[in-house]
Amino acid sequence: MGGERAGSPSDAARWGTFRARSTVLAVARTLTSAIRLLEALPVFAGDHRVRVAFAVDERSRYSAGVAELIGGLPARVVRWGDVPDLDCDLVLSASEKLDLTTRAPVPMLVIPHGVGFHKHVPDVDSAATRVSGVVDPEVLRGGRVRMLVTHPAHERQLAALSPDTVGRTVLGGDTSYDLLLAGAPLRSRYRAALGLTGRQRLVLVTSTWGPQSLLGVDPGLLTDLVSALPVDEYRVALVAHPNVWTWEGGWQLRRVLDTALRAGLLLVEPAAGWHAAMVAADLVVGDHGSLSAYAATTGVPLLLGAFGDEVVAGTAMADLGRKAPRLDRARDLRAQVDRAVSDGLPGLLPADEVFAAPGRSLRLLRAWCYAALGLPEPPGQPVSDPAADPPHPVPALHSLRVLGTVRDGVVELRRHPFAAGVRAGDEEVGHVVVDARERDVRRFSDAAAVVRADGPPEEAAAWQARTLDALPGCRAAGHATPTGCAVVVRGVGGFTLSAPEPLRDTGLLTSALYTLLAHGREVPGSFALRTGDRTGRVTVERA
């Protein structure tokens, strides 16, 4: 890995701009620990007296992507081989594999990268397992390393696991939990960033890493969920543990999930977005990873899709595994999701049993860090409580399979992703509708209707004529208008549809008209339309 050579105080005085009095070395080893470490570093925001330098220990099997994440900040990175010669005053890491030598003895703090110490993981130095997050006793006996814990119960657990932890822990808060709390008022913003509309509900699937994780046990669940849940009522997103991304690689992960992704699965990138996705979620389907605990403690309904036996007995996670309902793959998925969302199931894991200092993680951490540095905290400058950034923009669904019925003058539509293997029910007639923005050109050959949702209304007639001419198998072309859409049906003629705001969806209105005609109905002057929880009256005029 590239990076700067370590510098002495004289080097900083000669080459630097800010006159820092102290240097903090932030050590990242895995992508998981790097992400959590970045959550903690706002404690030094706004203080020119403190210089933060990064070092990446690439000896882990999960180091892929760490250097790129840090370099993309961009931040100063010290070569790992130069760390022993670096003049620093404090070392922070979110990896328990913190074993380094600095020029002079300095305090070191290990921040947890999950909820407590609840999982047995393979030991890198032997064929045995160890409890994730626990610093090696030999390193603790050196006297400089402290472990941050988020609840007194963790101190008691650590004392039983390793007597060397006694007196070497710091009670503080959990930065990820605080990001979830701070983000709660931004739920509507996060939902918009994820492309959710109206009362559309988000099912967030979370998976830890390893063969006992949800992805390891049941990788087909995601495809089945996006197939079972109508898109007007639900969207499905996945947050996979960063170790999945680093070991498997993003390309491999997307390859395995290709069918689900083409059917509308939203894949949340590992370095940013999971906090926002959880705040936006209406249901979490998880396993024994920390995100299930975050869901339970913040009140998001939870179903367990898997739960490994690698969970440490007597922990809050083990308790959650006993209490949380399980997703039964032998039963109807949609019915279970509907029930879990409506029931809510609060109280699965009380927050005060897991987090001792909600909303105070950065304040407590800053106080400890400045005491360790021997510096007063910045006067008159309270530490900020940032909320998580919105997730990156997500792709919209541009091809849908639509199943429709007409009963008592009401057109009812059930829309699913194109790739979903759905079957028409009694009295339902199905068709495919494709938005002109669809990038997979093969889907246009399957389209009974093609729509344009983002074009100027004055271009509607010309675009519709070109579309029907170019696609002989297409029966209808719908174009957006300010109050609804204009539709031309091959061999029938043109119509203008107007609808209330919640129903002004070009594809939805075009499919409603197509469904009326497919059922052999005369096109009325108005009709009622229902999809999901949206209902309204649509007026129709002959063009």
Side-chain angles (χ1 to χ4, degrees):
M1 183 197 73
E4 293 186 13
R5 294 191 178 278
S8 66
S10 60
D11 288 335
R14 184 179 183 188
W15 302 105
T17 298
F18 300 115
R19 299 180 181 180
R21 292 174 53 185
S22 299
T23 296
V24 175
L25 180 65
V27 177
R29 178 179 169 90
T30 67
L31 188 58
T32 307
S33 64
I35 293 168
R36 185 58 72 96
L37 182 62
L38 291 176
E39 291 181 12
L41 292 177
V43 296
F44 303 114
D47 191 351
H48 69 276
R49 301 171 301 166
V50 177
R51 181 172 182 246
V52 178
F54 288 85
V56 179
D57 179 359
E58 292 189 320
R59 294 174 294 176
S60 170
R61 289 171 171 82
Y62 298 106
S63 294
V66 177
E68 291 78 6
L69 175 64
I70 303 301
L73 294 175
R76 178 177 186 261
V77 180
V78 178
R79 293 187 180 95
W80 186 249
D82 292 334
V83 167
D85 297 322
L86 178 70
D87 285 314
C88 67
D89 305 282
L90 172 64
V91 176
L92 293 180
S93 180
S95 171
E96 67 269 29
K97 291 291 185 179
L98 180 63
D99 185 12
L100 56 85
T101 302
T102 53
R103 177 179 292 180
V106 299
M108 302 182 183
L109 182 66
V110 174
I111 301 164
H113 57 259
V115 177
F117 309 91
H118 68 258
K119 185 179 179 183
H120 293 284
V121 297
D123 183 31
V124 69
D125 300 316
S126 70
T129 62
R130 61 180 178 84
V131 176
S132 178
V134 182
V135 176
D136 186 271
E138 185 175 344
V139 175
L140 288 171
R141 283 193 288 271
R144 292 187 292 162
V145 177
R146 296 290 182 270
M147 297 175 58
L148 189 144
V149 297
T150 61
H151 196 276
H154 300 158
E155 294 178 314
R156 296 189 290 270
Q157 178 195 3
L158 289 172
L161 285 171
S162 173
D164 292 289
T165 63
V166 176
R168 296 183 174 94
T169 59
V170 175
L171 182 62
D174 185 287
T175 52
S176 275
Y177 182 69
D178 286 358
L179 282 170
L180 294 171
L181 295 180
L186 303 179
R187 175 176 161 85
S188 60
R189 179 184 175 193
Y190 294 154
R191 285 175 52 82
L194 288 163
L196 298 168
T197 59
R199 296 184 182 178
Q200 204 174 32
R201 292 166 286 190
L202 176 65
V203 177
L204 180 63
V205 180
T206 67
S207 176
T208 188
W209 61 279
Q212 296 188 33
S213 68
L214 191 151
L215 281 176
V217 170
D218 191 3
L221 173 63
L222 291 154
T223 298
D224 291 345
L225 275 174
V226 293
S227 297
L229 301 176
V231 298
D232 290 304
E233 299 174 55
Y234 288 101
R235 291 299 300 269
V236 181
L238 170 66
V239 173
H241 193 285
N243 283 1
V244 178
W245 288 83
T246 53
W247 181 264
E248 304 293 346
W251 181 88
Q252 170 74 351
L253 178 61
R254 290 186 176 91
R255 186 193 65 80
V256 171
L257 300 175
D258 181 69
T259 302
L261 289 169
R262 288 188 292 108
L265 174 69
L266 308 177
L267 183 59
V268 180
E269 296 291 327
W274 79 259
H275 302 89
M278 182 159 289
V279 171
D282 299 279
L283 173 68
V284 167
V285 178
D287 55 15
H288 55 288
S290 291
L291 269 65
S292 292
Y294 285 122
T297 52
T298 54
V300 183
L302 173 69
L303 289 175
L304 293 177
F307 201 82
D309 61 12
E310 55 199 4
V311 173
V312 177
T315 61
M317 182 60 70
D319 188 42
L320 182 62
R322 289 188 297 271
K323 293 179 178 178
R326 307 295 175 104
L327 186 71
D328 187 346
R329 293 290 268 121
R331 293 167 50 216
D332 182 82
L333 287 177
R334 182 181 176 185
Q336 294 180 75
V337 168
D338 286 343
R339 187 176 304 112
V341 170
S342 62
D343 290 350
L345 300 171
L348 290 175
L349 189 59
D352 60 6
E353 294 182 7
V354 186
F355 307 112
R360 299 168 56 206
S361 60
L362 292 182
R363 292 175 178 82
L364 294 173
L365 181 60
R366 183 166 81 161
W368 188 91
C369 288
Y370 276 92
L373 291 171
L375 290 176
E377 294 184 44
Q381 182 181 314
V383 67
S384 61
D385 291 310
D389 292 330
H392 298 301
V394 297
L397 284 172
H398 293 316
S399 297
L400 299 173
R401 294 190 184 276
V402 184
L403 303 173
T405 59
V406 182
R407 296 192 187 96
D408 301 323
V410 178
V411 179
E412 187 164 353
L413 301 182
R414 180 162 60 98
R415 302 196 295 176
H416 292 263
F418 176 88
V422 293
R423 295 181 179 179
D426 294 341
E427 301 181 28
E428 284 185 323
V429 173
H431 67 278
V432 172
V433 60
V434 178
D435 190 286
R437 293 169 291 185
E438 175 61 68
R439 297 179 62 186
D440 186 346
V441 296
R442 295 169 297 180
R443 294 186 177 178
F444 289 95
S445 62
D446 297 302
V450 175
V451 299
R452 189 186 190 200
D454 60 348
E458 61 270 18
E459 297 181 3
W463 176 84
Q464 289 164 326
R466 291 196 307 268
T467 299
L468 293 174
D469 185 55
L471 300 170
C474 177
R475 293 285 312 281
H479 196 287
T481 66
T483 59
C485 73
V487 184
V488 173
V489 181
R490 192 187 299 275
V492 178
F495 302 86
T496 300
L497 282 69
S498 299
E501 182 65 36
L503 296 177
R504 286 178 194 166
D505 175 324
T506 308
L508 179 67
L509 294 174
T510 302
S511 287
L513 182 65
Y514 182 93
T515 299
L516 276 169
L517 294 171
H519 278 81
R521 303 298 179 90
E522 292 289 333
V523 179
S526 70
F527 62 89
L529 173 60
R530 178 185 300 121
T531 182
D533 63 356
R534 290 184 288 170
T535 303
R537 192 147 201 94
V538 180
T539 59
V540 185
E541 293 182 3
R542 283 270 183 179

